[in-house]
Structures are given as C-alpha cells and as structure tokens.
C-alpha cells in the first residue's frame, strides 16, 4: 500500500482551516487518493463534532477514504507490545488509542501522518514510520 494513515490531529487542522505542514500534506494525499483511516480515528473525529449538520458533512467526507481494519485481538496485542516496548525505554504514551492507531500502521505497513507528541515518541522509538520525518 502507498499513502498514509492520517491521525485525528491532522484532520482537525484540515477541518478548522489551519494550514499546518501536516494539513498541507493531507491535502496532497487527498489529491492522490492515498488517505487511510482506521476505525479509531473515524470515531475520534466524529465524536468531537458538536454541530449536527457538520457531523453529517464530515461523516460523508470520511466515507470516501480507505478504511484499514485489523482483527482486533491481533491489533490489541500489537498495541500492547508497542506500549510495553516504549515503557521499557522509559517512555509513557499518554493515550492508549495512539498505540492502537500505530499498530494499524505496523500491520498494514503504512506510515502515520500526525501532529501529536505521542506519535513523535512512538515513531522515534519503534518500527512505526512517520509520514513527515
């Protein structure tokens, strides 16, 4: 697969009109059709939308992109291994969801496009690849 799994932090920038380097990279991925989501990102984005009409618009937009889905026990074990390997290095990941998202990256051999401190640590200290290095 080519492209990247795009983390919630980058989608928020895009939907809020913030021209960060990450949201610009997402716009480039959108133009090439190489955008991937996983169920956790889909949930995080949609549960944060307060306005009902924006909710439906964003839900429809997200429906156009590729969804990667892993068998949950395999995903869970991969996320646990990531978290534990980082803890052994003295690194604590604040959000368990980030390890689940990173596990999707490992399982589908896709980099993660992110704007998040936890992913900086995950990508610097594991086999998970950051889309922007």
């Amino acid at each position: 697969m080519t492209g990247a799994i795009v983390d919630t932090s980058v989608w928020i920038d895009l939907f809020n009109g913030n021209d960060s380097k990450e949201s610009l990279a997402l716009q480039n991925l959108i133009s090439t059709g190489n955008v991937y989501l996983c169920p956790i990102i889909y949930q995080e984005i949609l549960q944060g939308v307060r306005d009902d009409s924006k909710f439906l618009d964003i839900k429809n937009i997200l429906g156009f992109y590729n969804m990667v889905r892993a068998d949950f026990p395999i995903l869970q074990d991969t996320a646990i291994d990531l978290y534990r390997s980082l803890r052994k290095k003295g690194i604590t990941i604040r959000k368990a969801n980030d390890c689940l998202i990173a596990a999707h990256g490992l399982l589908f051999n896709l980099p993660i496009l992110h704007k998040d401190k936890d992913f900086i640590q995950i990508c610097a200290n594991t086999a998970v690849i950051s889309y922007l290095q």
Side-chain angles (χ1 to χ4, degrees):
M1 290 184 192
T2 59
I5 295 173
V6 180
D7 183 50
T8 309
S9 56
V10 180
W11 285 105
I12 290 169
D13 267 5
L14 182 74
F15 291 136
N16 287 335
N18 298 332
D19 286 334
S20 63
K21 69 179 181 181
E22 296 84 5
S23 68
L24 295 173
L26 172 54
Q27 290 175 37
N28 183 52
L29 286 170
I30 288 170
S31 70
T32 62
N34 290 318
V35 176
Y36 291 86
L37 297 167
C38 65
I40 297 153
I41 293 169
Y42 182 80
Q43 177 185 342
E44 284 182 344
I45 294 167
L46 291 176
Q47 72 188 16
V49 180
R50 294 180 184 164
D51 180 84
D52 289 341
S53 64
K54 284 184 182 178
F55 173 84
L56 292 174
D57 289 343
I58 292 172
K59 187 174 182 179
N60 288 330
I61 290 167
L62 295 178
F64 285 105
Y65 301 108
N66 306 298
M67 181 72 70
V68 292
R69 291 180 178 90
D71 179 66
F72 195 73
I74 294 169
L75 177 69
Q76 194 174 34
D77 285 344
T78 304
I80 290 166
D81 291 344
L82 277 171
Y83 185 87
R84 292 187 75 243
S85 72
L86 291 163
R87 285 289 290 160
K88 288 177 185 176
K89 294 176 182 180
I91 300 164
T92 302
I93 301 303
R94 298 168 297 143
K95 297 172 280 182
N97 277 355
D98 287 345
C99 287
L100 289 166
I101 293 165
H104 278 93
L106 284 176
L107 294 170
F108 290 94
N109 196 30
L110 285 166
I112 310 292
L113 175 56
H114 63 86
K115 188 179 176 183
D116 183 287
K117 291 178 184 178
D118 281 341
F119 280 111
I120 292 169
Q121 291 295 328
I122 291 168
C123 294
N125 294 285
T126 69
V128 178
I129 300 167
S130 179
Y131 183 75
L132 295 177
Q133 302 197 24

